Amino acid sequence: MSRAVIVTGAAGGIGRATAEALSAAGWLVIGFDIKFSRDHDYLAERVEQDICDSIGFRNGLARVADANEIVGLVNCAGIAKVGRFQDSSEADWRTLVNINFLAPLTACQALVPVIAANGGGAIVNITSDSGRVGAAGEAVYSGTKGGLAAFSKSLAQEVGRLGITVNCVSPGIIATPMSAPNQEIIDKLVKKVPMKRVGLPVDVAAAVVFLMSPAASYITGQTLSVGGGLTMAG
C-alpha cells in the first residue's frame, strides 16, 4: 500500500502545488477542501469539507483513515484578510482563528493516533513569516500563524516518542490567488527580498516534500522559512 497523506486546502495555491509535488514523490494524496474543480487528477481522493465544522471534519478524517494507511498530514488550508486591526470585526477574527488555527488542531488530534498506529510519520503545518516577525495589516492573521507555530513545537515534543515529526513551513511573499488582491503591497515588499522575486507555490511545496521525506526523519519542531530571505528570524 502506498504511503498516504492528507493535505487540507488541496484545491488551490500552495495546497495544490503541495499535493501535486507529494503525488509526484510517490505519495497517495487525499485532498480536503471546501470545493474542488474537475482538474485534480493528482489526488487519489477529493473530500469536499468545511473544516470549520469540526464534527464533520473529524468524521471525514476518520472515514479516510479507515480506508487508507495515513502516515502524513499537511495542514495547508488558510485564509488572510488585510486591513487595520481597528477596522476589523470579531466575526473576521473568529473566521481566521477557526480556519488557520483550530482546524489544524482538529486534524492533528484526529490523526496523531492514526499515524502512530501506522508506525509513525510526519506532520507539516503551513504557517507564515508574518507569524514570526509580524505584519502591519495582518495582525490577527499573524497571530493565528504564530500560534500554529508554537503549537507545532509543543506537539513535536509530545509525539516524537511515537515516531512522528512535526514541523512548519513558513512562506513569505508567495504568488497565489489569496495574495493576488494585495498586488500593490507585494510589489513594494519584493523590492526588499534579497532574491529579488516573488515566491511561487512550488517553492513552498518543495520544502514540504523534504520535511515529509525520510531524509528529514530526524528533524522535528522546526520552522523552515521559504521567503527569499525577506525575513531572517532565528
Side-chain angles (χ1 to χ4, degrees), residues 119-137:
I123 295 171
V124 175
N125 292 320
I126 305 300
T127 56
S128 170
D129 277 356
S130 67
R132 305 174 77 193
V133 299

Side-chain angles (χ1 to χ4, degrees), residues 64-86:
V64 167
D66 284 343
N68 299 275
E69 187 178 353
I70 305 298
V71 293
L73 167 66
V74 182
N75 282 304
C76 195
I79 61 168
K81 187 173 180 62
V82 177
R84 292 195 328 141
F85 175 69
Q86 290 302 117

Side-chain angles (χ1 to χ4, degrees), residues 100-125:
N100 294 353
F101 185 64
L102 294 182
L105 268 59
T106 297
C108 287
Q109 189 178 62
L111 293 177
V112 160
V114 172
I115 297 172
N118 288 331
I123 295 171
V124 175
N125 292 320

